[in-house]
Amino acid sequence: MVLVDGRSPTVTDLTCQIIFNQARKLLYSAITTGHAERLGIDTGFLTAIPFGGAGLKQRSRNLRCAGWVSVGGCQ
């Protein structure tokens, strides 16, 4: 795959994490709904996809907890 300007796309740790975790979620869904069995796909193959890693911790959207407001404390 090549970008419009001819460069190769950048693959980051986050993009790998998202791809692998979403692929695992999709394949797990195929197992639990019975689609994998109907298609003849071995569940050992489906469960062999590696875990992409834990999700990134998101910053607090609470302005007081983020330090933007000096009055009061975070509960």
Side-chain angles (χ1 to χ4, degrees), residues 31 36-37 41-48:
I31 292 170
E37 187 177 329
I41 301 173
D42 182 37
T43 57
F45 168 75
L46 299 178
T47 57

Side-chain angles (χ1 to χ4, degrees), residues 9-65:
T10 302
V11 178
T12 65
D13 289 339
L14 179 62
T15 55
C16 285
Q17 174 187 355
I18 292 169
I19 294 297
F20 277 103
N21 287 342
Q22 292 301 317
R24 284 177 57 92
K25 188 182 290 187
L26 175 73
L27 295 174
Y28 180 76
S29 174
I31 292 170
T32 58
T33 59
H35 291 302
E37 187 177 329
R38 281 194 296 275
L39 294 172
I41 301 173
D42 182 37
T43 57
F45 168 75
L46 299 178
T47 57
I49 287 214
F51 179 61
L56 296 176
K57 190 170 187 174
Q58 291 189 348
R59 291 179 31 201
S60 172
R61 298 293 182 218
N62 183 338
L63 294 180
R64 288 190 314 147
C65 289

